[in-house]
Amino acid sequence: MSKPYVRLDKDDAAVLLVDHQAGLLSLVRDIEPDKFKNNVLALASAAKYFGLPTVLTTSFEAGPNGPLVPELKTMFPDAPYIARPGQINAWDNEDFVRAVKATGKKQLIIAGVVTEVCVAFPTLSALAEGYEVFVVTDASGTFNPVTRDAAWDRMSAAGAQLMSWFGAACELHRDWRNDIEGLGALFSNHIPDYRNLITSYTTLTAGR
């Protein structure tokens, strides 16, 4: 049964970056490591560009999961940062849930490592509490396509929308007339081929 189109709204969305930790990133095998990290940073850049409230969380940093990817901490020095002492499902941590609710947003854009655990568990928990959840698939990673696809099916069946970071950015932006150069620069920084489009555009418009 088809569901009505619920689109992302930059005025009602928050971004949750879950367990993008140095140790866990080494487990990601369903997407190339360099592309994966680029996608994570692209999503983070989009969150900053649109001014979306962002919550960072890690799981058991003292163990093999390791520290948060340093670029994310640098990009969001003032964002809520919840280092969970042990809870596998971030939604089981009261500080994390409190930080999410404090954003006042009903749409949650979630990405993390690994997909079937660190992304799926809080996604299912947030859906159960009435949030609209958008999972950024290419900024989330796991062991292999089999476990990834099972997690995607589980979240989608529960009502989550699966998107790429590029699709999410475009849906948040709505209209190119809102800002060409800013979003174009973001895309160019993370999509090499997109640089050609922007170069063409700036060349054509330089003399206008």
Side-chain angles (χ1 to χ4, degrees):
M1 181 178 177
S2 62
K3 299 175 183 177
Y5 176 28
V6 176
R7 66 173 68 186
L8 278 168
D9 179 352
K10 63 183 176 61
D11 296 321
D12 197 26
V15 174
L16 313 182
L17 299 177
V18 184
D19 301 354
H20 288 103
Q21 296 166 249
L24 291 176
L25 255 65
S26 67
L27 301 177
V28 175
R29 292 289 181 270
D30 59 326
I31 185 170
E32 296 92 331
D34 55 339
K35 289 183 179 179
F36 178 66
K37 189 170 184 181
N38 173 71
N39 293 342
V40 173
L41 297 180
L43 174 60
S45 297
K48 286 186 69 69
Y49 173 78
F50 290 107
L52 306 182
T54 300
V55 178
L56 308 173
T57 186
T58 57
S59 172
F60 198 43
E61 282 190 26
N65 293 350
L68 182 74
V69 172
E71 292 93 334
L72 295 179
K73 186 61 176 172
T74 300
M75 290 177 73
F76 302 100
D78 301 318
Y81 176 65
I82 291 85
R84 309 191 312 280
Q87 298 97 340
I88 294 175
N89 181 351
W91 210 264
D92 288 339
N93 182 282
E94 293 181 359
D95 292 332
F96 178 77
V97 175
R98 193 177 299 117
V100 172
K101 292 183 176 179
T103 68
K105 311 301 183 182
K106 290 300 290 181
Q107 295 187 336
L108 304 180
I109 301 169
I110 300 181
V113 184
V114 294
T115 307
E116 69 272 27
V117 177
C118 308
V119 179
F121 293 173
T123 290
L124 297 170
S125 298
L127 287 167
E129 293 201 21
Y131 287 90
E132 296 169 357
V133 180
F134 300 77
V135 174
V136 183
T137 56
D138 54 356
S140 303
T142 188
F143 306 105
N144 55 59
V146 174
T147 53
R148 177 198 65 203
D149 292 352
W152 286 355
D153 286 347
R154 187 183 189 194
M155 290 185 285
S156 181
Q161 294 196 49
L162 309 183
M163 304 184 72
S164 67
W165 74 262
F166 182 78
C170 288
E171 192 161 87
L172 287 163
H173 200 56
R174 299 285 179 94
D175 191 322
W176 270 112
R177 291 168 295 183
N178 292 329
D179 175 29
I180 298 172
E181 286 77 11
L183 190 66
L186 190 159
F187 288 166
S188 296
N189 288 338
H190 295 282
I191 307 173
D193 292 342
Y194 207 92
R195 236 168 262 135
N196 297 330
L197 277 71
I198 296 302
T199 299
S200 174
Y201 168 76
T202 53
T203 301
L204 287 171
T205 58
R208 293 180 185 175

